């Protein structure tokens, strides 16, 4: 049982929200990185501690979404995958309202509060890309525009999520990053 004195209060609107201490979420993030991407865990040590913590929270959100979509138990059932993505969208909306469901969500909420220019759009666009993949079981990239959209949804969104953490906040810089490389 977590005692109230070990909880982290955050202000959300006029209400105080109490979330689990960042350490619990960070421990879970380290476990995810150790299991799936140990090189990212190593490289994160090159970042400032808050930036590394925030990047880890973004990693955990993206990793869990990817696992949810790629789960072999449901990969052949688009309806189940879409339902899971829709549930993840609801989870995202709740998080944006200040209601994390678990320690990993709480870590991301801390990241969102620390980086107010980090908007919901890249998260929503990534979810839309995952949803499109699920609906179109064998997504076909037929045009350059299709390729740009797909690349944005699966990778560009991650870059946009990272920009505020790395100190990029000018609209023209973000717009430049949004375009194809």
């Amino acid at each position: 049982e977590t005692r109230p004195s070990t909880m982290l209060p955050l202000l959300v609107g006029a209400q105080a929200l109490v979330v689990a201490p960042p350490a619990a979420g960070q421990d879970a993030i380290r476990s995810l990185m150790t299991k799936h991407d140990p090189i990212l865990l190593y490289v994160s040590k090159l970042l400032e501690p808050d930036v590394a913590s925030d990047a880890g929270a973004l990693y955990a959100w993206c990793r869990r979404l990817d696992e949810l979509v790629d789960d072999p138990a449901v990969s052949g059932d688009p309806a189940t995958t879409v339902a899971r993505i829709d549930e993840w969208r609801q989870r995202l909306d709740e998080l944006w309202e200040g209601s994390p469901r678990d320690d990993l969500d709480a870590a991301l909420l801390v990241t969102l509060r620390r980086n107010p220019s980090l908007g919901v759009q890249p998260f929503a666009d990534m979810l839309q890309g995952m949803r499109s993949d699920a609906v179109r079981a064998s997504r076909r990239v037929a045009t350059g525009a299709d390729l740009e959209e797909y690349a944005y949804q699966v990778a560009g969104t991650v870059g946009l999520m990272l920009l505020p953490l790395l100190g990029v906040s000018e609209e023209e810089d973000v717009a430049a990053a949004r375009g194809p490389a």
Side-chain angles (χ1 to χ4, degrees):
E1 179 177 305
T2 305
R3 293 179 305 215
S5 63
T6 64
M7 303 295 269
L8 173 68
L10 295 173
L11 290 179
V12 178
Q15 295 181 309
L17 170 70
V18 179
V19 296
Q26 291 305 315
D27 289 345
I29 291 165
R30 274 190 293 282
S31 292
L32 266 180
M33 287 180 142
T34 298
K35 179 179 179 182
H36 297 285
D37 297 292
I39 193 69
L40 287 179
L41 181 60
Y42 176 77
V43 170
S44 71
K45 295 174 183 176
L46 301 174
L47 299 171
E48 293 294 325
D50 282 350
V51 175
S53 174
D54 293 346
L58 291 174
Y59 166 83
W61 190 86
C62 295
R63 164 56 66 183
R64 294 191 303 162
L65 176 59
D66 190 56
E67 287 177 357
L68 177 125
V69 171
D70 292 341
D71 181 354
V74 297
S75 62
D77 180 10
T80 300
T81 301
V82 167
R84 286 177 159 195
I85 293 166
D86 290 346
E87 171 62 26
W88 203 257
R89 176 59 206 227
Q90 177 63 36
R91 182 183 193 119
L92 177 65
D93 292 341
E94 290 170 10
L95 182 61
W96 234 262
E97 293 168 3
S99 299
R101 291 188 185 179
D102 60 23
D103 290 339
L104 293 169
D105 285 353
L108 184 55
L109 182 60
V110 170
T111 296
L112 297 173
R113 299 298 179 239
R114 203 170 13 222
N115 299 279
S117 66
L118 178 56
V120 72
Q121 198 60 52
F123 295 88
D125 290 347
M126 179 181 279
L127 282 165
Q128 184 57 43
M130 299 281 187
R131 197 172 205 290
S132 295
D133 276 349
V135 171
R136 296 182 251 159
S138 57
R139 186 175 191 166
R140 183 172 171 86
V141 177
T143 67
D146 291 344
L147 179 59
E148 283 183 27
E149 177 184 25
Y150 181 74
Y152 166 70
Q153 289 174 329
V154 300
T157 52
V158 177
L160 289 178
M161 290 174 199
L162 287 169
L163 289 177
L165 281 58
L166 301 174
V168 178
S169 60
E170 297 298 321
E171 285 188 39
E172 59 271 4
D173 293 334
V174 173
R178 172 62 172 87

